[in-house]
């Protein structure tokens, strides 16, 4: 690897050009994986409700524990898209949707990298790091759209002639996911650190646009409610402090090494430290924040590799390269199957054994049961941490046996329990006389012996 400029293009296609297709393979395989995200499932039902009522949700419609409590759905626009997709194509709409959104994100990352580095090797390196880091979070929840929208915002910002599009993109983002606030902070940090004072009107317009969604000023209250749920979010694994020594997050550490190298070779300037510091703070806040923090680092990461090249031999003749590209584009579809809901994570079979009574279950089952519309009274809990607050800690302790289950079941009128095999609560309920009414490889249903 050297710091010399890349060689002039030749009639032959290098291996690096073909490696550019790697994100395509990863995105297609991830898009058609089984659905493991319970958040996506209740978002579909939320979309159906809003479509039928022709208005956004402002109170909880799903649970029997906090039903009727004030709650604004952050992702109303994504939910409407889910509703249309599921009503028209069934759950199979997920695969093509994820391919489209995932490719927008990956193509945008590659475009940012090439514009900043003018290096094919740098572009491939950034794309591969992004693929490895984003692959675990390419699931059909609304956060998926955040990655694509953030990349589009960065692209629009980097070219002054396209900054007019930023308010529209931020309106879309604010209608889909709460991470739009990260986008606004990013733009503000870049504008100040780079002294782009002429861009301030665009930032003001973008901020105003986020307050013009269906929730209006409610967008700000949603962010405040979510911030107030911090202590309870810590109980959820994806909100825990990230471990960068794991394989899934290691690409972020590699990116930091590249940034240090870029500083040493003077590809970066002191003003870039503003963005780097802000992204580090964001990444350290939670595991689920690492991916979006990395996207914010993409421009400076590419700058760190500016001008880097590697001689790869003679390469492939164009005809051979075209044939290889077609194979690479086609092969992923041989590795996938129709999208299905994961029967290990969700009670796909056990649902038929459930009575329509108040049931204790975990958040994953809650998302699925909302989607399945199994209960007329609603679910015990799902993954909306900003709504359940201290009930999350209560649930965790009851489920693990650290808190007596009787007072909670009595207060909430629980008459049935849907539990994963091996959970400590199963033995406690059995000791109290509850009987098993259903069991399979993954799930058990229990009810009082008198029922």
């Amino acid at each position: 690897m050297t710091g010399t400029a890349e060689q002039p293009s030749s009639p032959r296609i290098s291996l690096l050009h073909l490696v550019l297709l790697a994100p395509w393979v990863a995105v297609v395989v991830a898009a058609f994986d089984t659905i493991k995200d319970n958040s996506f499932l209740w978002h579909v039902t939320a979309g159906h409700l809003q479509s039928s009522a022709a208005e956004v949700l402002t109170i909880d419609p799903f649970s029997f524990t906090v039903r009727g409590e004030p709650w604004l759905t952050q992702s109303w626009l994504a939910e409407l898209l889910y509703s249309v997709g599921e009503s028209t194509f069934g759950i199979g709409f997920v695969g093509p949707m994820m391919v489209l959104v995932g490719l927008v994100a990956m193509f945008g990352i590659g475009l940012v990298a090439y514009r900043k580095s003018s290096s094919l090797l740098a572009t491939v390196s950034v794309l591969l790091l992004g693929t490895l880091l984003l692959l675990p979070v390419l699931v059909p929840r609304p956060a998926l759209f955040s990655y694509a929208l953030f990349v589009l915002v960065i692209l629009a910002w980097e070219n002054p002639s396209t900054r007019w599009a930023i308010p529209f993109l931020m309106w879309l983002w604010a209608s889909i996911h709460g991470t739009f606030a990260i986008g606004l902070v990013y733009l503000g940090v870049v504008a100040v650190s780079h002294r782009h004072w002429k861009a301030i009107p665009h930032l003001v317009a973008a901020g105003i646009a986020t307050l013009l969604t269906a929730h209006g000023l409610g967008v700000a209250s949603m962010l405040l409610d979510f911030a107030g749920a911090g202590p309870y979010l810590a109980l959820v694994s994806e909100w825990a402090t990230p471990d960068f020594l794991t394989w899934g997050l290691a690409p972020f550490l590699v990116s930091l090494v590249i940034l240090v190298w870029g500083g040493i070779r003077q590809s970066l300037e002191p003003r870039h430290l503003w963005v780097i510091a802000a992204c580090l703070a964001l990444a350290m806040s939670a595991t689920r924040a690492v991916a979006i923090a990395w996207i914010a680092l993409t421009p400076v990461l590419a700058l760190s590799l500016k001008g880097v090249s590697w001689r790869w031999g003679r390469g492939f003749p164009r005809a051979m390269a075209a044939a290889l590209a077609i194979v690479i584009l086609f092969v992923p579809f041989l590795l996938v199957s129709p999208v299905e809901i994961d029967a290990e994570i969700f009670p796909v079979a056990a649902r038929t054994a459930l009575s329509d009574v108040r049931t204790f279950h975990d958040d994953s089952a809650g998302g699925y049961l909302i989607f399945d519309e199994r209960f007329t009274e609603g679910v015990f809990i799902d993954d909306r941490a900003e709504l359940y607050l201290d009930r999350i800690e209560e649930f965790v302790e009851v489920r693990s046996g650290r808190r007596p289950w009787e007072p909670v079941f009595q207060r909430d009128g629980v008459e049935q329990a849907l539990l994963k095999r091996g959970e400590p609560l199963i033995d406690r309920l059995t000791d109290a006389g509850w009987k098993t009414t259903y069991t399979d490889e993954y799930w058990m249903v229990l009810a009082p012996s008198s029922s």
Side-chain angles (χ1 to χ4, degrees):
M1 185 179 295
T2 66
T4 60
E6 293 194 9
Q7 301 299 313
S9 60
S10 70
R12 304 173 73 88
I13 304 298
S14 73
L15 179 62
L16 278 180
H17 288 95
L18 294 178
V19 175
L20 287 171
L21 297 176
W24 160 262
V25 177
V27 168
V28 171
V29 172
F32 287 89
D33 193 10
T34 56
I35 294 175
K36 300 179 174 67
D37 186 75
N38 61 295
S39 174
F40 161 74
L41 293 173
W42 69 254
H43 278 298
V44 173
T45 302
H48 291 328
L49 291 178
Q50 291 171 110
S51 179
S52 299
E55 60 182 9
V56 293
L57 296 175
T58 56
I59 61 173
D60 169 44
F62 296 134
S63 76
F64 63 81
T65 47
V66 290
R67 174 170 288 189
E69 290 292 318
W71 172 74
L72 302 179
T73 176
Q74 299 178 354
S75 308
W76 62 270
L77 185 55
E79 289 159 357
L80 292 178
L81 292 174
Y82 292 161
S83 176
V84 172
E86 201 270 338
S87 297
T88 307
F89 304 104
I91 207 69
F93 85 94
V94 171
M97 176 196 73
M98 288 187 60
V99 169
L100 177 61
V101 180
L103 286 180
V104 169
M106 292 302 182
F107 180 80
I109 289 171
L111 191 56
V112 170
Y114 190 75
R115 285 181 175 179
K116 285 291 186 180
S117 67
S118 301
S119 164
L120 178 60
L121 178 60
T123 302
V124 169
S125 300
V126 172
L127 262 178
L128 290 180
L129 287 172
T131 300
L132 293 173
L133 199 59
L134 292 176
L135 194 59
V137 296
L138 286 180
V139 295
R141 63 170 54 188
L144 171 71
F145 296 93
S146 302
Y147 309 133
L149 285 168
F150 198 3
V151 173
L152 292 176
V153 166
I154 292 173
L155 283 170
W157 174 266
E158 293 295 331
N159 186 347
S161 66
T162 59
R163 287 178 182 169
W164 58 267
I166 291 177
F168 174 69
L169 291 171
M170 292 305 304
W171 181 89
L172 283 176
W173 196 351
S175 302
I176 287 176
H177 202 261
T179 48
F180 76 89
I182 295 174
L184 287 177
V185 172
Y186 169 83
L187 293 176
V189 169
V190 174
V192 172
S193 62
H194 290 65
R195 301 176 184 272
H196 289 163
W197 309 124
K198 293 183 179 180
I200 297 300
H202 296 287
L203 299 185
V204 173
I208 293 174
T210 64
L211 301 177
L212 299 178
T213 71
H215 285 304
L217 295 177
V219 167
S221 68
M222 284 190 290
L223 293 177
L224 293 174
D225 290 343
F226 207 76
Y232 310 103
L233 292 174
L235 299 171
V236 183
S237 59
E238 64 182 12
W239 287 98
T241 301
D243 180 2
F244 293 103
L245 298 180
T246 59
W247 284 109
L249 299 184
F252 192 89
L253 277 185
V254 175
S255 299
L256 295 183
V257 172
I258 293 174
L259 290 174
V260 172
W261 183 62
I264 293 173
R265 62 194 294 263
Q266 298 183 336
S267 296
L268 302 180
E269 302 174 14
R271 61 183 180 177
H272 295 123
L273 291 175
W274 288 58
V275 171
I276 295 172
C279 291
L280 278 175
L282 176 61
M284 291 295 297
S285 66
T287 299
R288 68 173 293 170
V290 174
I292 202 159
W294 184 89
I295 290 175
L297 282 174
T298 301
V300 289
L301 183 62
L303 275 176
S304 298
L305 296 169
K306 184 176 177 63
V308 170
S309 65
W310 194 333
R311 295 183 180 180
W312 289 84
R314 297 187 62 195
F316 303 96
R318 289 185 180 273
M320 181 183 295
L324 289 172
I326 291 172
V327 171
I328 293 172
L329 292 173
F330 177 74
V331 163
F333 292 102
L334 300 178
L335 305 176
V336 301
S337 56
V339 174
E340 296 179 347
I341 296 175
D342 194 301
E344 181 177 355
I345 295 177
F346 304 112
V348 176
R351 79 190 196 282
T352 59
L354 294 170
S355 301
D356 186 11
V357 296
R358 294 190 170 190
T359 301
F360 181 90
H361 52 74
D362 65 15
D363 54 316
S364 294
Y368 176 76
L369 294 170
I370 291 172
F371 172 77
D372 189 58
E373 301 183 68
R374 177 59 47 177
F375 299 136
T376 56
E377 286 196 72
V379 300
F380 181 85
I381 200 169
D382 51 79
D383 73 341
R384 292 172 294 161
E386 75 281 8
L387 174 65
Y388 291 100
L389 299 177
D390 56 346
R391 279 184 172 269
I392 298 175
E393 182 176 7
E394 178 185 78
F395 160 73
V396 170
E397 292 182 348
V398 169
R399 184 186 185 191
S400 64
R402 298 197 303 270
R403 178 183 297 203
W405 58 271
E406 294 91 343
V408 175
F409 279 31
Q410 184 176 8
R411 180 197 66 199
D412 294 326
V414 172
E415 302 178 58
Q416 185 174 240
L418 171 66
L419 302 169
K420 290 183 178 177
R421 294 179 66 91
E423 290 195 43
L425 184 57
I426 293 175
D427 292 336
R428 288 169 172 77
L429 292 176
T430 301
D431 292 341
W434 284 48
K435 62 181 180 181
T436 300
T437 60
Y438 172 86
T439 183
D440 62 27
E441 185 179 358
Y442 308 114
W443 296 88
M444 295 181 67
V445 178
L446 297 93
S449 55
S450 59
S451 62

